[in-house]
Every structure is written in structure tokens, then in C-alpha cells.
Amino acid sequence: MARITPPEIVAKKQNGEKITMLTAYDYSMAAMIDQAGVDMILVGDSLGMVVLGYESTVPVTMEEMLHHAKAVSRGARQALVVGDMPFMSYQVNPEDAVKNAGRFIKEAGCQAIKLEGGIEQAQTIEAIVKAGIPVVGHIGLTPQTATALGGYKLQAKDAESARKLLDDGRAVAEAGAFALVIECVPSGIGKAVSESVHIPTIGIGAGPHCDGQVLVTNDLLGMFEKFTPKFVKKFADLSPIIKDAFSRYVDEVKSGEFPDEEHSFPGGDSLLQSYDA
Ligand code: KIV
């Protein structure tokens, strides 16, 4: 099957077909997500928190993102791979933004990029789209600027900020983005933005009315224990299972139970008999 394209993602909204997106940071996970039929794989800068152990997404660099995006691209055959532009790779000026966006496509094999921000990023989105690079926008709770927003909190809680979110969504769509992530807003606001833009909205904590959904894979699998936002559904709880496997490994190596015959190559005892060590 051929790889999904941005126009096909847009067509899904027109046909009322829900869109799926998950994050991945390495080859093996990308391959499994791809095989499960997920439409888009986001190499999110959540990499910083769930894989690299940073306190936030702010320290993540272009080089770190590209390194992981390359691995994801090698694992994904059908899903559209979106590279997440890290903090300060697009905020300084549109020229730098276009160059850095281009690196995700040329060096890492992604098919699109994502960046955070609304009206204030419209010009940058336009420049990247003009360079021929498909863009996914991201509004609502934007983790790179969470400090300025007062922390990892529900956004668009009053009429003024709800109107601003609507304006941001329209600006991103008019600037040429082909999809829009909306993070951590009340369901009614997710619905209003989805109805007011022609491009698909991909919600994360933005309710059931968005055109698609995205989750951080490590959250969905129950593999990130530091905190779990309210909008995360754990489709599996792997942390205890993984820790149990590690403990049993330690016990079996210590007791000599592993490796047993089944996991060893028999023979070899006589090969060095005449060799005088
Ligand atoms: O970095 C990321 O994983 C994201 C998702 C939360 C949408 O931006």
C-alpha cells in the first residue's frame, strides 16, 4: 500500500472519516504503529520528556529531533511521518524556519513538519508551505511555551481566550497548514474550531468532535510514569510488565537459571583440548 498523503488526510475530514495519529521516536515502535494502520506518525518533541528525560520539551535540539526522525522514517512505510520542530528552530525568523523544516524532509525522510502557535506563526507557516513542505499546526496548550501559558493547564476557559483560539485556528488554516493539532481545551471549543476550519483538527484533550485524535505513545502504553494528564487513556499498562521482566532477568542470571540449554549453543568443549593456554 502507498504512503498516505496530506490531501488524503484532508479528504478524510470531507468524508467524515476519523484520523489517527500517534507519536514515535524509534524504528521498532514506528514499525508497529505503522502496521496497526495509524494514519500519521508524529516524531514529537515530547521525545525530550518521555525518551531523553528532560523536564520539558524546551531543551530539545534539531540534531536530537533529526536523529530520532530518521529512525522513525526507516520504520514507517504507510503512515505519513511528521517531524516536530523544536523550540527556537522556527521562532527566530521564517528563513531559519524554512531551512530547519527542510532538514526534516531532506535529511530525516519526513513528509511534513509540525510547529506550535497560531496567528503569530501564520507568516512562518506560509513561508514553509510556499517552500513545498506540508505543515501541521498546533494550538491550545503549546508545551514549548507552557510557562508563558501558566503551566500545563486547560486552555480557552473563558470567552476571550476561546475567541482567540478560534482566530488562531483560522489563521493557521488560512496560512496553508493541512492539519491542526488542538491540545487541552474544553470539548465544545474543540468542536467549534473543527467546524470553523476546512482542514482536519487532530485533538489531544480536545474532546470527541475533532476530526482525529493524537496521543503520546508512551502514555497510551502506560510507559511514562512521571505524570498522566486527564486526557490520556492507557490502552495498556506496560510499566509493571516491563519491570517484572527485568526483575525476573536479574533473578535468573543470578541464580544461574538463565541461560539454559534452550538459549545456548551446545558443544565446543573439546575444541581447545590441545591448546595450551
Ligand atoms: O510533542 C508531541 O508529542 C506533541 C503531541 C502532544 C501532539 O506535540
Side-chain angles (χ1 to χ4, degrees):
M1 231 168 67
R3 193 186 295 281
I4 298 177
T5 64
E8 285 168 344
I9 296 293
V10 176
K12 282 179 191 280
K13 174 173 181 133
Q14 289 151 3
N15 300 334
E17 199 187 323
K18 290 280 187 190
I19 298 158
T20 52
M21 188 189 222
L22 284 175
T23 66
Y25 319 98
D26 64 47
Y27 168 85
S28 309
M29 200 63 87
M32 285 191 274
I33 292 171
D34 196 63
Q35 284 157 25
V38 171
D39 297 312
M40 293 198 275
I41 296 182
L42 172 66
V43 190
D45 65 352
S46 47
L47 165 80
M49 297 173 81
V50 301
V51 174
L52 302 179
Y54 297 145
E55 285 300 317
S56 77
T57 58
V58 168
V60 178
T61 65
M62 270 302 291
E63 301 312 319
E64 288 167 338
M65 287 304 303
L66 290 172
H67 178 72
H68 287 268
K70 284 177 193 174
V72 169
S73 291
R74 288 191 282 265
R77 292 172 181 275
Q78 284 161 31
L80 191 147
V81 179
V82 182
D84 206 4
M85 297 199 59
F87 186 53
M88 282 300 136
S89 69
Y90 58 94
Q91 287 93 340
V92 177
N93 58 58
E95 291 74 32
D96 275 2
V98 173
K99 266 191 216 144
N100 286 323
R103 295 190 69 191
F104 276 103
I105 310 298
K106 278 185 74 151
E107 297 175 35
C110 296
Q111 286 80 50
I113 62 93
K114 175 173 86 60
L115 56 79
E116 296 180 5
I119 294 170
E120 73 285 1
Q121 292 303 336
Q123 209 194 333
T124 298
I125 293 171
E126 243 176 74
I128 297 172
V129 172
K130 216 167 153 190
I133 300 170
V135 174
V136 176
H138 183 160
I139 59 170
L141 175 56
T142 44
Q144 292 173 9
T145 46
T147 309
L149 298 173
Y152 296 92
K153 287 182 179 162
L154 186 68
Q155 301 297 304
K157 280 185 295 190
D158 55 47
E160 193 187 338
S161 56
R163 274 197 297 269
K164 159 94 171 73
L165 193 85
L166 216 59
D167 291 344
D168 280 336
R170 287 184 182 134
V172 169
E174 277 162 26
F178 75 93
L180 175 64
V181 169
I182 309 175
E183 180 163 353
C184 210
V185 302
S187 299
I189 305 298
K191 182 169 188 269
V193 177
S194 302
E195 286 170 356
S196 79
V197 293
H198 66 281
I199 58 173
T201 55
I202 314 292
I204 174 161
H209 308 291
C210 292
D211 303 301
Q213 297 292 327
V214 56
L215 280 176
V216 169
T217 290
N218 297 50
D219 288 338
L220 172 155
L221 294 176
M223 285 175 63
F224 185 63
E225 295 185 305
K226 249 181 164 174
F227 64 88
T228 306
K230 173 178 160 59
F231 55 72
V232 166
K233 177 171 177 179
K234 287 188 185 179
F235 286 80
D237 194 8
L238 295 190
S239 273
I241 295 171
I242 293 170
K243 281 192 246 178
D244 177 59
F246 292 153
S247 303
R248 284 191 293 115
Y249 167 76
V250 169
D251 290 347
E252 290 194 18
V253 170
K254 287 190 172 170
S255 70
E257 195 180 330
F258 176 83
D260 52 12
E261 249 178 56
E262 190 192 339
H263 300 99
S264 303
F265 303 98
D269 320 68
S270 60
L271 295 178
L272 296 173
Q273 263 170 11
S274 58
Y275 182 70
D276 190 7

